[in-house]
Amino acid sequence: MSDRIEWMNLGRQFRKYEEEFLDAVKNVCRDTAFSGGKYVEQFENNFAKYCNCKGAAGVNNGTSALFLGMKALGIGEGDEVIVPANTFIASAWGVSHNGAIPVFVDIDADTFEIDADKIEEKITKQTKAIIGVHLYGQPFDFDKVKTIADKYNLLVIEDCAQAHGAKYKDRTVGSLGDIGCFSFYPGKNLGSFGEAGAVVSNNIDVIKKVNLYKNHGSDIRYYHDVIGYNMRMEGIQGAILDTKLKYLEEWSAARQAVAQKYLKEINNKRIKLQSQPEWEQSVFHLFVIEVDDREEFVQFLKRKNIECSMHYPVPCHLQKAYEHLGYKKGDLPVSEYHAEHCVSLPMYPELTEEEINRVIDACNDFA
């Protein structure tokens, strides 16, 4: 049997840059800069510049970035926040952890991103913000969402957890809305050696608030101005991320090359590809398709020794954690259909030409 093609492989990247990564870790250990410190600050400065933002605040994970970012914007008890139903659940956690209420909206059937045409009907006097998720690495239609937000005086929060370096009309994601929230979970396009996240913004006051909250509410050691949290980024993660950042454009280009080959050569009518609007430049964290019979397709690929995954098989509004909000099956039909038919094909920069061709051939052979 042919060698197995993994849905994701982090080992190839590590082996290629092993010496550089380990040197970064050694530097942190030699300087004992383990929690926050100069390596985190260096990464924050470089990542802010990369995102074309005035500031970045490194935190311990992407969920904390969403939570602290929204808290810094003043979102709290009784507020409502619009959230697409098709996203990783952390997009909604940031709302709930602040005492606010996530209000789920459907997605567009072709882009799989938030359907801006469905937003206005969900807005009430309690609505405070809209979260747009640049899902799978593809930017949502920011200008359309921003027009609605401006009409109702709402904040726009970018969930950039899967879209490091993606472009919307030549603008880098994270720099578009009031804040951008990133995850650096190991499997992300820019991944740490554990857990890490960041909030970016062109509003320095917001960044200052996030930095205050993440560090026990303290700017000066042992003086606490607000009730805070212990959500700092670790020094090793800052050093690794800063080391990786200089390769991110190269890795994104490799992902885009894989995706373009998939988009051009997968031509099976049983498979629906995510549409690629001309105004966006996706970085393809994931390559997600829809298949009429998902289980049959997954087993077909498995027999060909090709691994795939699912993002995400249960939409947010139907998760047990949110059953108290009263949503039921049929409320957001496009998200529900996508959840039942989505499949993530192998996608990472180190895929070989032979592996890419095998995936394409398998997709086209599915009859």
Side-chain angles (χ1 to χ4, degrees), residues 47-60:
F47 191 63
K49 291 176 185 175
Y50 178 81
C51 294
N52 293 314
C53 287
K54 292 180 180 177
V59 295
N60 59 338

Side-chain angles (χ1 to χ4, degrees), residues 339-357:
E340 292 169 359
H341 296 85
C342 64
V343 176
S344 299
L345 297 180
M347 171 54 75
Y348 44 96
E350 297 81 16
L351 278 167
T352 67
E353 193 76 11
E354 185 269 339
E355 289 170 332
I356 297 165
N357 288 331

Side-chain angles (χ1 to χ4, degrees), residues 115-132:
D115 187 344
D117 292 333
K118 301 289 177 62
I119 291 175
E120 272 193 276
E121 64 192 48
K122 296 295 184 78
I123 293 174
T124 71
K125 291 180 180 179
Q126 284 72 48
T127 307
K128 187 73 174 282
I130 303 169
I131 296 179

Side-chain angles (χ1 to χ4, degrees), residues 53-68:
C53 287
K54 292 180 180 177
V59 295
N60 59 338
N61 58 58
T63 306
S64 295
L66 287 158
F67 164 58
L68 295 180

Side-chain angles (χ1 to χ4, degrees), residues 251-268:
W251 296 338
S252 294
R255 287 176 179 273
Q256 289 162 345
V258 175
Q260 290 309 312
K261 194 166 172 62
Y262 281 167
L263 289 165
K264 183 179 180 180
E265 298 184 24
I266 295 175
N267 52 30
N268 190 331

